[in-house]
Amino acid sequence: MGIVIKGTGCYVPERVLTNSDLEKMVDTSDEWIVSRTGIRERHIAGPETATSDLAAQAGLRAILSAGITPEEIDLVIVSTVTPDMPTPPTATIVQRKLGIPPCMCFDIEAACTGLLYGIDLVHGMLASGHRKTALLIGGDKLSGVVNWTDRSTCVLFGDAASALVIQVDPAAGEDFYVAGEISADGRNAEFLKIPGFGSACPPTQEGIVQHLNSITMNGPKTYQMAVSAMSSACRKVLDRTGVTPEDIRWAIPHQANDRIISSVAERLGISERIYRNVARFGNTSSASIGICLDELNRSGQLKRGDLVLTAAFGAGLTWAAELIRW
Ligand code: ACO
């Protein structure tokens, strides 16, 4: 008996915000954004759309791709830094929208590393034998927590959700989850954060004016830590499993910045078979790796048994690398 990824899905809102649109909003240029980040456009949700709407669409597509019914799902986890509201959990709102019967539903928050944290969590929960079919979603409406007057951050992010149906399969010989290296170091929590409006800094009128409810970031520090954390986590996973870079069918790093992706690829010695779509979506936080998996899956570029190496980093600093057998 094994545990398998049975289906994938993703959803991005229709509206596209290009670099030339951003040129009209802040003092930036297409040339600067492309050369520093590789991003050309991102999708932005309207004010009527909540994270649960993006998540439910992605979840529905994963359910259809898995060929299961919502009734079969007995665990829903949503990874997000932009929940619909502080409580109830966004996972319960997604559950209602998809008609999933009563079951364990909760949110996790590990910033852009959230989907990989979720995979490890789901795998452990299914392995315990108490649940059979999980819907794991990474979804964020980052446009709602971006300061659209700050050129150093507003060019980086986009809105999206992605989803995986992960299921216990009595017919499968082995688990999809080969190995993971998952960690965090809170000493670096100051480099990337939304300083308000949680319990440490409650909402005030003045806080709104100061954009305390928006992402602030030390870009260069985050960049350096991202490259070293993702590379060393990948290296540990490869060393532990005896898998070589040549054995990897696809490497999927978190899609935050093309230059970060290239640096990690170079350090690992995997110059080809690195999946990239940051140009089309920007940084979509915990949706990012699931979008890549869904695109590869739907385009037939993943075959049963292929090894996929994923890696992510995010605020905290959180990071992870996971080796998956498709
Ligand atoms: N357009 C034009 N100029 C800009 C822009 C812009 N959009 N943004 C910044 N600049 C300017 C700066 O003001 C600075 O000007 P100065 O030299 O006159 O002061 C200059 O460009 C260089 O700024 P740096 O920040 O040093 O630029 P850098 O090459 O480091 O690139 C970037 C910045 C793209 C943000 C990079 O540091 C990066 O990608 N860091 C990682 C960010 C990231 O991935 N964050 C997501 C984390 S995941 C999560 O959990 C959300």
Side-chain angles (χ1 to χ4, degrees):
M1 185 166 80
I3 299 170
V4 296
I5 296 180
K6 185 95 180 191
T8 62
C10 76
Y11 178 77
V12 291
E14 258 177 45
R15 184 180 160 218
V16 172
L17 187 73
T18 64
N19 291 349
S20 76
D21 294 329
L22 282 163
E23 285 174 353
K24 295 172 196 122
M25 296 162 61
V26 288
D27 180 14
T28 190
S29 66
D30 177 58
E31 193 280 327
W32 192 96
I33 301 171
V34 172
S35 64
R36 301 290 178 120
T37 73
I39 300 168
R40 294 182 183 276
E41 57 188 37
R42 67 290 289 145
H43 291 248
I44 302 292
E48 71 293 344
T49 302
T51 293
S52 66
D53 296 312
L54 306 173
Q57 288 292 337
L60 178 62
R61 290 172 185 195
I63 289 168
L64 292 172
S65 138
I68 63 161
T69 62
E71 287 74 25
E72 289 177 63
I73 292 168
D74 54 10
L75 172 64
V76 181
I77 300 178
V78 173
S79 161
T80 185
V81 297
T82 53
D84 284 20
M85 50 195 99
T87 197
T90 301
T92 61
I93 303 170
V94 172
Q95 175 199 30
R96 184 180 67 201
K97 287 181 176 170
L98 292 176
I100 296 169
C103 64
M104 186 185 242
C105 300
F106 62 97
D107 294 355
I108 57 171
E109 207 275 71
C112 300
T113 320
L115 196 82
L116 296 191
Y117 268 61
I119 286 175
D120 191 85
L121 192 59
V122 165
H123 180 264
M125 291 178 78
L126 295 187
S128 76
H130 297 303
R131 286 170 190 81
K132 288 196 167 59
T133 305
L135 178 62
L136 171 65
I137 301 176
D140 269 306
K141 187 184 175 187
L142 292 176
S143 62
V145 289
V146 160
N147 174 357
W148 290 102
T149 63
D150 174 12
R151 69 176 181 172
S152 67
T153 52
C154 76
V155 303
L156 302 176
F157 301 103
D159 299 335
S162 65
L164 302 174
V165 170
I166 304 177
Q167 192 171 48
V168 176
D169 181 354
E174 47 191 355
D175 280 5
F176 78 97
Y177 188 30
V178 181
E181 170 67 26
I182 295 149
S183 196
D185 186 348
R187 286 173 298 181
N188 297 319
E190 292 304 311
F191 291 130
L192 176 54
K193 61 181 179 179
I194 299 173
F197 290 162
S199 58
C201 177
T204 58
Q205 291 291 348
E206 201 189 350
I208 292 173
V209 175
Q210 293 170 349
H211 296 285
L212 295 184
N213 55 335
S214 303
I215 296 170
T216 61
M217 183 178 69
N218 180 330
K221 273 271 182 230
T222 307
Y223 188 108
Q224 290 158 17
M225 291 188 302
V227 173
S228 86
M230 285 199 290
S231 312
S232 87
C234 286
R235 180 54 55 204
K236 282 183 185 163
V237 166
L238 293 177
D239 288 349
R240 203 182 307 145
T241 54
V243 169
T244 66
E246 293 71 40
D247 299 327
I248 302 295
R249 176 72 188 94
W250 285 105
I252 307 181
H254 171 46
Q255 307 288 306
N257 180 317
D258 226 7
R259 289 192 299 150
I260 294 177
I261 295 171
S262 295
S263 298
V264 172
E266 197 178 310
R267 287 188 182 204
L268 291 176
I270 311 180
S271 53
E272 292 153 29
R273 296 169 285 112
I274 289 268
Y275 196 71
R276 298 170 194 259
N277 61 20
V278 68
R280 289 181 282 134
F281 302 116
N283 180 347
T284 58
S285 191
S286 58
S288 131
I289 287 177
I291 298 175
C292 299
L293 283 171
D294 188 47
E295 289 189 337
L296 284 168
N297 185 28
R298 282 172 197 270
S299 60
Q301 295 181 80
L302 278 176
K303 302 274 178 290
R304 200 46 67 222
D306 280 349
L307 286 173
V308 180
L309 181 63
T310 61
F313 70 98
L317 189 81
T318 56
W319 68 89
E322 291 178 354
L323 185 64
I324 289 169
R325 192 186 313 278
W326 201 251

